[in-house]
Amino acid sequence: MKTKFYTLLLFLCITIGNAQSNHVLWYDEPADNWNEALPIGNGRIGAMLYGGEKVDQIQLNEETVWAGSPGNNIAKDYYQDVESIRELLFNGKYTEAQQKALEVFPKNTPDNTNYGMPYQTVGNIKLAFKNHNKISNFRRELNIENAVAKVSYLADGVQYNRQYFVSYPDQVMAIHLQANKSEKLNFDIEIQSAQKHVASIENNILHLKGVSETRENKPGKVKFSTLIYPKIIGEGKIVSREGKLSVEKAQEVLLFISIGTNFKKYNDLSNAEDEVALKFLNNVKNKSIEALLESHIEDYQDLFKRVDLKLGKENLSNLTTDERLKTFSKNHDLSLISLYFQFGRYLLISSSREGGQPANLQGIWNNKLSPPWDSKYTVNINTEMNYWPAEVTNLSELHAPLFSMLEDLSETGKESAHKMYHARGWNMHHNTDIWRISGIVDGGFYGFWPMGGAWLSQHLWQHFLFTGDINFLKKYYPILKETALFYVDVLQKEPKNGWLVVTPSISPENKYIDGVGVTYGTTMDNQLVFDVFNNVITAAKTLNIDADFIKVVEEK
């Protein structure tokens, strides 16, 4: 009797502790739409969880599923056009310069180039539960301290629990489903996709094969393979019928989702997507939920638990998260601010891990084929904003995917530097995608900003300042140097004062005359060029190299 009492007491303590945790977002109803769903991810695989009681929807992403195929977006040598716009600007013909820029780079995509490819969804998994009628005690939550989401409720007197996470060590998504009574877990599993796809079932594995879309003269060539495997623990059986897998009369099920693509590198699609997906699935098939959770949480918390933030004494986590938001101005819920801070760190951990792609405009979560702004990498501030927390909140390793992209862009950017400006080094404009395009995107008003590489290169320098890692600086110094080399060549003397300026350029997404943004010598450009030159000078002196080149830069 005493043992039962202490067990009950321990259960109550854990329950109360979880309820009062300030690392939990929780709600008392399922998500009505995608924006209300809860995000989980391991950098490569992302999912949005709706948490429905009768029908649960899990929207899936994989970081390399983008429309199109390898190739830059520099259609020809534009140098004479650039020179013509410079001349118009220096002669005070600003409206004519803008008109020329729009003629050369029209707002709508011309036939012989593209303005970047969209990041795209894989599809949706639907879990349709049977005999779920009288629902009560519903709770949907995301614990950002261990990167585990949960759904729990009573249905017809039966307690149902679901647990969701995406493991970085094991590279699969796992869903653990339980009922507190035998034979009460009965549900259908199906997968849907707006992509061109084929679905099949073999050996109790639901298999979706698809290919990304063709856009703007780029054929869709990213092939993806999604495997869904239900593993029954204890009693129950799996039946295949009409393109669905049905779990019948079970009490506990472990559902694995594995995704692979043929993407290997921005210019290489030679991976075997089926083999990638199957390898990850086979590696976890025989693992217990306890082992999977342990490795997942240990890996995640190694990053997350480096920083703790506590504001105020009052903790209103007994209220649903949406209620806390509604009453924030009245309650002065300071603990909600710390939750918001940590949620930002959670999202970066979940969407940017070593060996993968950087977080894009929507991190890693997108339910569309044509998302807002294509969910690309907008590098006139948005990509930089994604990574501002990396160093200052002790997540330095998460910068690695951005640095890997910079290595790629320092290669593709040589084409835009040469064909647009007849300059050495490398550059890019205000936008890129998984194919590492470096030319103008969105036409001659928003797109004529040759400073994207300058701003991104600041992240290399900031990482060195935070870490003091000399080997890192040695590795990435060539990118800093090539960034500076571009501006050594591209700076022009403006006619009035003889100042060296970047032209043509813009102050990002701004105009100074109605309909005119193209100009020269903007404050932002001046600051970025100063930073690029200062960084490379300091880096070279730190490494004791390139004295002759540094003299050239210092003279500028």
Side-chain angles (χ1 to χ4, degrees):
M1 191 69 182
K2 187 180 289 187
T3 302
K4 289 183 178 180
F5 171 78
Y6 284 122
T7 301
L8 177 61
L9 182 62
L10 178 62
F11 172 78
L12 289 172
C13 289
I14 293 171
T15 303
I16 293 168
N18 286 340
Q20 296 299 316
S21 170
N22 197 41
H23 289 135
V24 175
L25 291 81
W26 76 277
Y27 308 85
D28 56 10
E29 58 186 6
D32 280 337
N33 57 64
W34 187 83
N35 289 307
E36 294 181 358
L38 293 170
I40 60 173
N42 68 347
R44 186 177 71 88
I45 297 172
M48 293 291 282
L49 310 174
Y50 287 67
E53 321 99 314
K54 297 181 180 180
V55 178
D56 191 6
Q57 179 172 323
I58 301 107
Q59 185 266 316
L60 291 177
N61 287 106
E62 202 281 347
E63 65 177 358
T64 61
V65 178
W66 291 65
S69 46
N72 209 336
N73 66 334
I74 313 294
K76 64 173 187 175
D77 191 308
Y78 290 100
Y79 182 70
Q80 293 306 319
D81 298 310
V82 170
E83 280 285 271
S84 175
I85 296 167
R86 282 174 179 160
E87 185 177 353
L88 289 168
L89 288 169
F90 284 159
N91 287 321
K93 298 180 178 180
Y94 308 119
T95 301
E96 293 89 337
Q98 184 64 78
Q99 289 173 344
K100 176 70 175 178
L102 289 170
E103 288 172 10
V104 178
F105 299 101
K107 183 177 181 181
N108 295 320
T109 307
D111 292 336
N112 60 348
T113 189
N114 73 83
Y115 285 161
M117 296 292 105
Y119 175 58
Q120 298 191 313
T121 182
V122 168
N124 295 283
I125 296 174
K126 297 284 184 72
L127 307 179
F129 296 89
K130 300 173 183 178
N131 303 317
H132 275 34
N133 297 308
K134 297 177 182 178
I135 308 294
S136 61
N137 297 347
F138 180 89
R139 181 182 173 99
R140 175 172 63 102
E141 71 172 53
L142 172 62
N143 188 326
I144 62 172
E145 187 173 11
N146 58 21
V148 175
K150 294 180 181 178
V151 169
S152 61
Y153 55 91
L154 280 169
D156 302 316
V158 178
Q159 177 67 41
Y160 292 94
N161 298 302
R162 291 178 230 146
Q163 192 174 45
Y164 316 72
F165 60 94
V166 190
S167 168
Y168 179 73
D170 287 305
Q171 288 297 309
V172 297
M173 178 179 173
I175 305 175
H176 185 211
L177 305 98
Q178 291 177 296
N180 72 340
K181 295 182 180 179
S182 62
E183 299 186 0
K184 293 298 182 179
L185 204 49
N186 298 278
F187 62 97
D188 294 331
I189 309 164
E190 64 177 315
I191 185 167
Q192 303 165 344
S193 179
Q195 303 274 22
K196 184 178 179 181
H197 70 277
V198 175
S200 61
I201 296 174
E202 187 175 352
N203 298 324
N204 287 340
I205 297 175
L206 183 55
H207 188 187
L208 178 86
K209 291 174 64 71
V211 61
S212 65
E213 281 194 318
T214 294
R215 292 287 184 94
E216 297 177 14
N217 316 300
K218 271 193 168 184
K221 292 186 178 180
V222 177
K223 298 176 182 178
F224 56 92
S225 178
T226 304
L227 303 175
I228 305 170
Y229 173 67
K231 176 183 176 181
I232 291 181
I233 301 171
E235 61 187 12
K237 64 178 180 178
I238 298 170
V239 178
S240 172
R241 57 166 69 93
E242 298 176 354
K244 301 176 184 179
L245 286 176
S246 296
V247 173
E248 298 181 351
K249 295 185 177 181
Q251 187 172 0
E252 184 177 5
V253 176
L254 192 51
L255 195 63
F256 294 114
I257 297 102
S258 180
I259 309 176
T261 79
N262 64 339
F263 184 94
K264 190 172 186 179
K265 194 175 171 64
Y266 74 95
N267 56 1
D268 184 351
L269 298 178
S270 63
N271 273 343
E273 64 278 7
D274 290 341
E275 292 179 12
V276 172
L278 189 59
K279 178 188 74 172
F280 290 131
L281 178 60
N282 285 338
N283 286 343
V284 298
K285 270 186 174 181
N286 296 319
K287 290 188 178 182
S288 67
I289 182 62
E290 292 80 11
L292 288 163
L293 261 176
E294 182 180 4
S295 61
H296 161 68
I297 293 174
E298 181 181 3
D299 167 78
Y300 173 79
Q301 290 189 342
D302 179 59
L303 294 163
F304 182 82
K305 284 204 163 185
R306 296 172 182 178
V307 171
D308 195 17
L309 178 63
K310 294 180 181 178
L311 300 172
K313 295 181 179 179
E314 189 173 11
N315 187 343
L316 299 179
S317 57
N318 59 308
L319 301 177
T320 62
T321 303
D322 49 352
E323 187 63 27
R324 292 176 76 181
L325 285 168
K326 290 176 185 176
T327 60
F328 179 77
S329 60
K330 179 179 67 175
N331 291 333
H332 306 295
D333 183 3
L334 293 180
S335 62
L336 185 63
I337 297 175
S338 59
L339 175 62
Y340 181 63
F341 167 80
Q342 292 287 29
F343 186 57
R345 296 181 72 243
Y346 166 82
L347 292 174
L348 186 58
I349 297 170
S350 302
S351 63
S352 180
R353 296 298 299 267
E354 291 179 89
Q357 300 298 312
N360 61 53
L361 270 176
Q362 295 180 194
I364 198 175
W365 302 278
N366 164 44
N367 64 332
K368 301 178 184 298
L369 298 182
S370 298
W373 295 279
D374 286 342
S375 197
K376 298 196 294 286
Y377 300 101
T378 305
V379 300
N380 64 5
I381 190 169
N382 302 90
T383 301
E384 290 84 358
M385 288 172 67
N386 282 349
Y387 286 92
W388 286 345
E391 305 296 336
V392 297
T393 72
N394 207 1
L395 296 173
S396 192
E397 301 95 318
L398 305 188
H399 242 144
L402 184 66
F403 299 154
S404 179
M405 183 169 77
L406 272 167
E407 291 183 72
D408 298 339
L409 287 166
S410 69
E411 293 299 321
T412 60
K414 291 176 181 176
E415 186 176 6
S416 53
H418 175 67
K419 288 187 176 181
M420 291 188 65
Y421 306 97
H422 284 190
R424 296 169 295 171
W426 74 278
N427 93 301
M428 63 176 299
H429 294 80
H430 94 292
N431 222 293
T432 191
D433 60 15
I434 200 169
W435 313 115
R436 309 311 191 226
I437 60 172
S438 61
I440 280 181
V441 170
D442 295 334
F445 182 87
Y446 294 104
F448 229 134
W449 188 66
M451 309 299 297
W455 201 352
L456 285 179
S457 74
Q458 306 299 312
H459 287 259
L460 296 170
W461 185 244
Q462 289 296 315
H463 181 80
F464 171 69
L465 292 181
F466 271 86
T467 64
D469 188 341
I470 290 292
N471 289 328
F472 173 87
L473 188 61
K474 287 178 181 177
K475 178 180 179 180
Y476 287 100
Y477 173 78
I479 295 178
L480 295 175
K481 179 180 178 180
E482 293 286 316
T483 308
L485 187 59
F486 172 76
Y487 295 106
V488 165
D489 286 357
V490 86
L491 288 171
Q492 307 288 316
K493 281 189 177 182
E494 56 85 29
K496 185 177 180 180
N497 301 290
W499 296 332
L500 290 173
V501 297
V502 177
T503 181
S505 188
I506 59 171
S507 182
E509 302 183 26
N510 279 291
K511 60 186 178 182
Y512 58 100
I513 300 173
D514 189 33
V516 178
V518 170
T519 186
Y520 61 87
T522 71
T523 300
M524 186 170 183
D525 291 1
N526 296 339
Q527 182 62 57
L528 284 172
V529 171
F530 176 84
D531 286 345
V532 165
F533 285 176
N534 184 66
N535 295 347
V536 78
I537 289 168
T538 310
K541 290 181 178 179
T542 301
L543 298 173
N544 196 26
I545 58 175
D546 262 346
D548 291 340
F549 176 66
I550 294 310
K551 286 181 181 178
V552 173
V553 176
E554 288 176 332
E555 288 172 1
K556 289 285 183 178

